[in-house]
Amino acid sequence: MTGSTLFTDAMALSPSGDGVYEGLLNEHWTIGPKVHGGAMLALCANAARTEFASGPDGNDVEPIAVSGNFLWAPDPGPMQVVTAVRKRGRRVSLIDVELNQGGRTALRAAITMGTPEHHVPPLLSVNPVIPLMTPEPPPGLEPIGPGHSMADIVHLAHGCDIRPSLTTFTRRPDGGMPVIEYWVRPKGCPPDVLFALLCGDVSAPVTFGVNRFGWAPTVQLTAYLRARPADGWLRVLCTATQIGQDWFDEDHIVVDCAGRIVVQTRQLAMVPAPGGGADDPTGA
């Protein structure tokens, strides 16, 4: 392990001209051997934000909606991010982004730019996280690290303090859907909008609750940035509506230490095969 573990370094981009940027997602931003989908999505969002900021109206604008299609799973290493501004509007703009490696497109995203919610109370909010999760992880909740059962897979833990509540991974006694709880924050820097977007894909698959433990490749993920996070722990609540024989959905709600919803995501992924392992639908 030789690369930087700082999230800010993972999001760094070097412009190459004509809306093209060079980035690097190293071995610390992987799940198993492959680059983490949330890190890929956050890097694309940063490229869109950087490209938009180069125009006349880039101040105070963030990637408020990110819709990504995953074509194949890249290896850790250099990435090229290609942006194309489709619309510069008064309140809403649109940028298309492709994340490429080795001449192949790994992720294609449509990113909506706008101003997220300000620090004012919402008109109405139904926040399921507040009654379930405290602003900080409960005492004794282990971080993923040496000796943890997830340490060999979740390499994100080199750059993030990730504390999953393993008691919530299994099917509920009433037969209902698992509701998985995580407390997460980056190491060495406060959480920002890009890290909050990454947290919208931080959970292990909800298929763990039906004893399907293999790779569950994400095919499509949509994230909404609702607000900029406060400095502190991010609480992540993960659940689903249906786990089918072939496909399942997975929802994340990310709430900051002030109790505000900062990110919501929904993804469509493939159910792991019985006994672990899943075929890659993209032919990678």
Side-chain angles (χ1 to χ4, degrees), residues 45-215:
N46 194 31
R49 185 173 67 175
T50 303
E51 181 66 16
F52 190 82
S54 66
D57 301 310
N59 293 333
D60 203 38
V61 173
E62 301 282 8
I64 59 171
V66 182
S67 180
N69 290 284
F70 294 81
L71 282 70
W72 65 283
D75 297 314
M79 310 277 168
Q80 185 181 71
V81 192
V82 181
T83 67
V85 178
R86 301 302 184 191
K87 173 190 174 182
R88 282 187 180 270
R90 186 174 62 87
R91 295 191 63 183
V92 175
S93 302
L94 182 65
I95 299 179
D96 288 340
V97 180
E98 290 185 354
L99 186 146
N100 303 324
Q101 185 183 75
R104 299 175 66 190
T105 299
L107 171 60
R108 190 171 187 180
I111 299 179
T112 304
M113 306 297 297
T115 303
E117 295 281 352
H118 296 284
H119 287 265
V120 293
L123 298 175
L124 178 65
S125 180
V126 179
N127 187 338
V129 174
I130 298 301
L132 292 177
M133 302 177 67
T134 55
E136 296 189 354
L141 190 63
E142 257 193 285
I144 297 178
H148 194 280
S149 61
M150 302 171 72
D152 291 340
I153 299 295
V154 184
H155 302 138
L156 297 180
H158 289 97
C160 316
D161 191 337
I162 306 176
R163 305 197 183 201
S165 177
L166 297 181
T167 59
T168 64
F169 271 73
T170 56
R171 190 196 296 261
R172 287 166 25 197
D174 61 3
M177 193 69 65
V179 178
I180 304 173
E181 301 172 358
Y182 277 79
W183 284 258
V184 190
R185 64 181 178 186
K187 295 178 179 178
C189 61
D192 61 6
V193 298
L194 300 176
F195 187 78
L197 287 170
L198 178 146
C199 287
D201 188 34
V202 77
S203 176
V206 292
T207 55
F208 280 25
V210 291
N211 297 321
R212 295 291 185 92
F213 299 108
W215 184 42

Side-chain angles (χ1 to χ4, degrees), residues 4-63:
S4 171
T5 60
L6 287 176
F7 178 73
T8 49
D9 289 345
M11 293 296 104
L13 293 166
S14 300
S16 298
D18 297 325
V20 179
Y21 297 86
E22 307 298 329
L24 174 68
L25 291 173
N26 65 29
E27 68 274 15
H28 301 301
W29 302 99
T30 60
I31 298 294
K34 295 294 185 177
V35 176
H36 180 250
M40 294 163 60
L41 205 75
L43 191 66
C44 288
N46 194 31
R49 185 173 67 175
T50 303
E51 181 66 16
F52 190 82
S54 66
D57 301 310
N59 293 333
D60 203 38
V61 173
E62 301 282 8

